[in-house]
Amino acid sequence: MAQNMTLLWGSGSVPCWRVMIALEEKNLQGYNQKLLSFEKKEHKSKEVLDMNPRGQLPSFKHGDVVVNESYAACLYLENTFKSQGNKLIPDGAAEQGLMYQRMFEALAFNEKLYAVVYYEWFVPENERHDSARARNKEALRTELGLWEGYLQKLGSGSYMAGRSFTLADVIIFPTVATLYRSGLAAERYPKLGEYYALVKDRASVKASWPPHWLEDPKGEGTLKDI
Amino acid sequence: MAQNMTLLWGSGSVPCWRVMIALEEKNLQGYNQKLLSFEKKEHKSKEVLDMNPRGQLPSFKHGDVVVNESYAACLYLENTFKSQGNKLIPDGAAEQGLMYQRMFEALAFNEKLYAVVYYEWFVPENERHDSARARNKEALRTELGLWEGYLQKLGSGSYMAGRSFTLADVIIFPTVATLYRSGLAAERYPKLGEYYALVKDRASVKASWPPHWLEDPKGEGTLKDI
């Protein structure tokens, strides 16, 4: 069905997961795919670099069209396959405005999550500071408070941009799932906890759940004190 | 004409400039606007926080629809005013794919520029390292090499995603202009220099040129050795 598509990806990567959810939502199963290992530095392999000079995952191609950036791939897929699978951009200026706004606030959300969870991965040993670690954690708490408030305002059972599942959810859910995987206490952020419960069993999400999370359902607990 | 729109902005901010170019391209002049000062921390004022809980500029509103994130605002304006002003998303899957890809690669481009130019602004004094400064500069050089290559491949007189001016240019031009404002040597990256020359006199760009750059046309020269 989607045999002219190729996805190179890594398990547990938020950007990769976004593209996989979008593909499922648009009924684009059966694409060529290859699971690569960040630990083994396979994202810097020739196979990836040929498709993506940045040496990053996801790397994604549809025919000759290369759209490696996860936001680019999601927007591209929705616009190219508008009438196939689920419609991911709502009609109406207000709904679209909220969707775009949340989609792009998610850049900050994921950045703040990664700054805490992957601090050792990103920052060389001689440049690490407890003051930075503390500030990053505080920034993540503030960020979580914002999203908790957004969901509170939308009311129970809402998706990120209202009553229907949109690109905002495709983009944001992997970040939320990584929070819980990393030990966030659901009771501390009840609305985010509800949102997580609402989306985690959706078919597109289940079909693309990170395989190493399935093998080892217990995460590292880095966010226990957030 | 655009009296039901409000923009709070800061001079020289890449995200603010993107939104202002998009507004010009869509013939949405005459909006309410207020120039605020980052130095005076006016982006943390009540006026901003009421519209944008992140306390960031741009803050943008169309009627009741708040779209503060610059990418969100640009996509929102293009989709809401599709048939007004210049069309900023090309037809055709290949053209759209390239446009989205470049638009979102621009996140890394601007991040790498800001990491060099605003290092002292972002990193507290006790956390600064020469090793980080050197690595940030090297990352910016690598990034510039990528964009130089993209433009080389497209051929002379090209915009960022091909023969026409698109959202990719709306997003990327302010980053490129900031490079030259900061002292980048045009001869070292000739294709980027050509691109800068091609776009800098465009009506939408001139109309939104940062006012403090006009008052003081000489920048700081931070990038002289890049």
Side-chain angles (χ1 to χ4, degrees):
Chain A
M1 207 170 160
Q3 284 157 357
N4 59 348
M5 291 184 179
T6 300
L7 178 72
L8 310 178
W9 60 290
S11 178
S13 143
V14 163
C16 293
W17 199 359
R18 293 170 182 154
V19 180
M20 296 170 85
I21 296 174
L23 286 161
E24 294 291 329
E25 292 286 335
K26 303 310 290 179
N27 279 345
L28 292 162
Q29 288 89 0
Y31 51 89
N32 305 298
Q33 52 93 14
K34 194 166 179 179
L35 172 58
L36 298 174
S37 157
F38 291 108
E39 281 70 27
K40 295 184 191 156
K41 298 222 175 288
E42 290 175 347
H43 56 299
K44 300 296 180 191
S45 64
K46 188 179 176 305
E47 182 176 15
V48 173
L49 288 168
D50 281 349
M51 216 156 120
N52 186 345
R54 295 181 181 274
Q56 292 175 338
L57 301 176
S59 292
F60 178 72
K61 203 162 63 164
H62 172 213
D64 292 331
V65 184
V66 176
V67 266
N68 298 316
E69 300 297 315
S70 66
Y71 278 72
C74 290
L75 284 162
Y76 172 82
L77 288 170
E78 173 58 17
N79 284 307
T80 307
F81 298 94
K82 259 196 189 71
S83 55
Q84 183 173 319
N86 293 320
K87 183 177 156 72
L88 298 173
I89 299 181
D91 295 326
E95 290 74 12
Q96 277 190 22
L98 183 60
M99 185 201 75
Y100 286 127
Q101 174 62 15
R102 294 293 179 258
M103 255 179 92
F104 291 98
E105 282 191 76
L107 289 167
F109 194 4
N110 201 62
E111 194 183 298
K112 282 166 189 174
L113 167 63
Y114 271 31
V116 174
V117 173
Y118 295 120
Y119 187 76
E120 268 72 28
W121 175 274
F122 286 131
V123 183
E125 198 167 352
N126 68 312
E127 295 175 15
R128 294 178 198 155
H129 294 271
D130 287 341
S131 51
R133 280 196 188 86
R135 190 175 56 251
N136 291 347
K137 281 192 171 184
E138 201 43 48
L140 180 56
R141 283 189 197 102
T142 303
E143 187 70 29
L144 286 163
L146 276 178
W147 292 92
E148 190 70 11
Y150 296 155
L151 288 167
Q152 175 85 47
K153 209 173 147 193
L154 283 168
S156 264
S158 268
Y159 293 98
M160 278 294 174
R163 304 311 297 175
S164 51
F165 183 93
T166 68
L167 278 185
D169 302 287
V170 172
I171 292 291
I172 297 165
F173 180 77
T175 297
V176 174
T178 305
L179 286 165
Y180 288 108
R181 166 79 185 174
S182 307
L184 191 79
E187 62 275 16
R188 210 165 299 157
Y189 301 97
K191 293 293 157 190
L192 271 169
E194 265 181 43
Y195 174 76
Y196 177 63
L198 173 71
V199 180
K200 75 179 173 41
D201 292 323
R202 191 174 170 92
S204 64
V205 168
K206 282 183 89 163
S208 56
W209 202 262
H212 82 278
W213 292 12
L214 289 174
E215 280 159 30
D216 175 12
K218 223 174 116 45
E220 291 202 14
T222 325
L223 301 183
K224 269 201 296 274
D225 62 339
I226 294 289
Chain B
M1 205 167 164
Q3 284 156 357
N4 59 349
M5 291 184 180
T6 301
L7 178 72
L8 310 179
W9 61 289
S11 178
S13 143
V14 163
C16 293
W17 199 359
R18 292 171 183 152
V19 180
M20 296 171 85
I21 296 174
L23 285 161
E24 293 291 329
E25 292 286 335
K26 302 310 289 179
N27 279 344
L28 293 162
Q29 288 89 2
Y31 51 89
N32 305 299
Q33 52 93 16
K34 193 165 180 181
L35 172 58
L36 298 173
S37 156
F38 291 109
E39 281 70 28
K40 295 183 191 156
K41 298 219 175 292
E42 289 175 349
H43 55 300
K44 301 296 179 191
S45 64
K46 188 178 177 306
E47 183 176 16
V48 174
L49 288 168
D50 281 349
M51 216 157 122
N52 186 346
R54 295 180 182 275
Q56 292 175 339
L57 301 175
S59 292
F60 178 72
K61 202 161 64 165
H62 172 213
D64 293 330
V65 184
V66 176
V67 266
N68 298 316
E69 300 297 314
S70 66
Y71 277 71
C74 290
L75 283 162
Y76 172 82
L77 288 170
E78 173 58 17
N79 284 306
T80 307
F81 299 94
K82 259 197 191 69
S83 54
Q84 183 174 319
N86 294 320
K87 182 177 158 70
L88 298 172
I89 299 182
D91 295 324
E95 290 74 14
Q96 277 190 21
L98 183 61
M99 186 202 75
Y100 286 127
Q101 173 62 17
R102 294 293 178 259
M103 255 178 91
F104 290 99
E105 282 190 76
L107 288 167
F109 194 3
N110 201 62
E111 194 183 298
K112 282 166 190 174
L113 167 63
Y114 271 32
V116 174
V117 173
Y118 296 119
Y119 186 76
E120 268 72 28
W121 175 274
F122 287 131
V123 183
E125 198 166 353
N126 69 313
E127 295 175 16
R128 294 177 198 157
H129 293 273
D130 287 341
S131 51
R133 280 195 188 87
R135 191 174 56 252
N136 291 348
K137 281 192 172 184
E138 201 43 48
L140 179 56
R141 282 189 198 101
T142 304
E143 187 70 28
L144 286 163
L146 276 179
W147 292 92
E148 189 71 10
Y150 295 155
L151 288 167
Q152 176 85 48
K153 210 174 146 193
L154 284 167
S156 264
S158 268
Y159 293 98
M160 278 295 175
R163 304 311 296 175
S164 52
F165 184 93
T166 67
L167 279 184
D169 302 288
V170 172
I171 293 290
I172 298 166
F173 180 78
T175 297
V176 174
T178 306
L179 286 165
Y180 288 108
R181 166 78 184 173
S182 308
L184 191 78
E187 62 276 15
R188 212 167 296 158
Y189 301 97
K191 293 294 156 191
L192 270 168
E194 266 181 43
Y195 173 77
Y196 176 63
L198 173 71
V199 180
K200 75 178 173 37
D201 293 324
R202 191 175 171 92
S204 64
V205 168
K206 282 183 88 162
S208 55
W209 201 264
H212 82 279
W213 292 12
L214 289 175
E215 280 160 30
D216 176 11
K218 225 174 112 47
E220 292 202 15
T222 326
L223 301 183
K224 269 201 294 274
D225 61 339
I226 294 289

